[in-house]
Amino acid sequence: MMTRVMPFQLIAGACVGFFCLQNTALASDYTHPISGISAHQKLEHKIGEAIFQKLWVPAPSSTTASDGLGPLYNARSCQNCHVNNGRGHAPEAHINGASVPSFVVRLGKNTASASSTIEGIFPHIGDSRYGHQFQHHNAPGIEPEGDYHLTYLTQIETFDDGTTVELRQPKLHWNTLNYGKLDALTGHTLLVSPPLVGMGLLDHIPDDVILANSDPDDLDNDGISGRPNRILIDGNIQLGRFGYKATTARLSEQNQQAFNIDLGLSTPILPNASGDCTVFQQGCVNSPNGNSVHLDNLEVDRQQMRLVNVFIALSAPPAMRRLQDPSFLAGKRLFDQGRCASCHTPKMHTGENSTFQGLNNRTFYPFTDMLLHDMGEGLASGFPAFSAQPREWRTAPLWGIGLSETVSKRQGFLHDGRARTLEEAILWHGGEAQPSQQFYKALNSADRKTLIHFLESL
């Protein structure tokens, strides 16, 4: 059954997790290592950061350690999308999508045949011509896939006290599609790069802890029915935990998928050097690659992959701030009263099987249950993702959310960055989260500010 609201006073009183002991001066940066790790791990964390920031180049080049980019790709480095490990942002209206590397268009079949479905799990089947993701950058001599721009539909939400807020909803427009039309059944989903703090902690929450919070049939009749995403890996069903819809099981898999699809680089588990190219893109498929014997015949070899994994796994979440501020506790009380914690579960624990001793047996406060929830039609994606239906999204962690603009210099919340403020993000909550949205709309102005103040302090 799902763990419910945590008495708010316990947060400040029991804030003994490692991140609460960090120097809060470091909270403006998502790239500092967690406390309690060895000097050698700190060194590897720094080396991994350098690979994370490295600009890759197309093959062939004079540097075999950094070539193999593309031939089709979205960005030249991890850092391009995750600036300082922070979140990306959506393009402004009428701005070409190619100019914003931290924003991507994912493609997938919006229906699936019986033969492609196993126990209700829909594998991610990309478009036959454009693959799983639209890439608007290219190596020399390769035709880019094209470009697009967004416009925004607007709607007005009115609070109970009469205050109004304008919300925006992105609408995609293709400028060019250089390899022909998309398949008739191809749907799309717009995504901004997520922040990468605390990923190692989330990776080591035991499956049974996540499952203990699930309530797929809402047996307690509270209107919340969180359930895990179930994904297929080599024919085996596993619990998904990373990505906006929890579509990858482990952190390393998520990182390798990003290298392969976003940058077009081969990795130990995704050795295709042409990345997301399809049979309709033979120039891409036949392009030179950067696979090298001294790199395990890959472009991102096991050692580079391991170091990037170290950097991302051991990058610390920022400390909660303003814990002594009375408005922090008042905001948490409103957070509890609005039942926000029913999905944004404050406290989690790691197990004891991590190869990083610093990640074992830790208590931390990510404010997520790692489960899928129905968020309503307004946020629905264009296709299912394994067992996640279009209206379902994994609860987003809230730690560090108030530092988004400090870290990334821009703000944009929800999976596609449509929400320019936390208030707009709350107002987009539909489906089983709608009672919490209505609770917020019924608050007076002072209480709304108090709740936002709490969120900005996490």
Side-chain angles (χ1 to χ4, degrees), residues 54-299:
K54 179 167 66 173
L55 291 173
W56 297 80
V57 296
S61 78
S62 59
T63 168
T64 58
S66 302
D67 71 351
L69 177 70
L72 294 171
Y73 58 95
N74 293 101
R76 289 187 58 198
S77 75
C78 308
Q79 168 81 1
N80 280 165
C81 298
H82 305 275
V83 177
N84 298 323
N85 267 0
R87 72 182 67 246
H89 66 275
E92 296 299 323
H94 305 298
I95 299 297
N96 287 349
S99 66
V100 183
S102 63
F103 186 88
V104 300
V105 182
R106 293 283 280 178
L107 304 171
K109 289 288 183 293
N110 54 28
T111 60
S113 65
S115 60
S116 64
T117 304
I118 300 174
E119 297 184 12
I121 298 175
F122 296 83
H124 185 190
I125 302 173
D127 183 80
S128 62
R129 293 178 182 273
Y130 293 89
H132 299 82
Q133 184 165 293
F134 193 77
Q135 284 104 10
H136 32 55
H137 292 302
N138 58 289
I142 305 301
E143 186 82 1
E145 291 190 331
D147 206 350
Y148 61 88
H149 70 276
L150 303 182
T151 56
Y152 289 93
L153 306 174
T154 60
Q155 66 184 66
I156 302 297
E157 285 285 342
T158 304
F159 295 115
D160 287 7
D161 65 6
T163 303
T164 59
V165 175
E166 180 183 281
L167 304 184
R168 63 175 192 171
Q169 182 172 20
K171 182 175 176 57
L172 175 69
H173 305 271
W174 297 110
N175 298 342
T176 51
L177 287 168
N178 292 332
Y179 291 90
K181 293 181 179 179
L182 295 164
D183 296 339
L185 297 180
T186 294
H188 68 263
T189 299
L190 309 177
L191 301 174
V192 295
S193 307
L196 298 180
V197 291
M199 300 288 278
L201 294 165
L202 299 178
D203 198 26
H204 290 92
I205 302 171
D207 285 2
D208 58 3
V209 171
I210 296 174
L211 296 174
N213 288 331
S214 68
D215 186 15
D217 299 317
D218 192 21
L219 296 179
D220 61 2
N221 296 313
D222 70 346
I224 305 297
S225 57
R227 67 188 185 94
N229 198 353
R230 298 292 188 180
I231 64 177
L232 280 172
I233 299 178
D234 298 329
N236 298 313
I237 297 176
Q238 297 190 24
L239 186 150
R241 65 175 69 206
F242 290 110
Y244 284 108
K245 286 180 177 281
T247 50
T248 55
R250 311 305 309 189
L251 180 58
S252 180
E253 294 164 10
Q254 180 74 12
N255 295 340
Q256 295 193 51
Q257 184 181 92
F259 267 123
N260 191 247
I261 294 181
D262 298 347
L263 279 70
L265 296 164
S266 56
T267 74
I269 65 171
L270 295 169
N272 181 7
S274 57
D276 194 36
C277 297
T278 71
V279 294
F280 288 93
Q281 300 166 333
Q282 283 301 305
C284 176
V285 173
N286 297 325
S287 289
N289 62 62
N291 288 350
S292 302
V293 173
H294 72 284
L295 296 175
D296 309 326
N297 202 31
L298 297 168
E299 293 162 335

Side-chain angles (χ1 to χ4, degrees), residues 389-412:
Q389 294 300 310
R391 289 165 56 116
E392 292 181 311
W393 299 90
R394 189 206 65 173
T395 305
L398 297 181
W399 51 11
I401 199 167
L403 296 171
S404 296
E405 187 169 9
T406 301
V407 170
S408 307
K409 311 306 178 189
R410 300 283 291 269
Q411 285 198 138

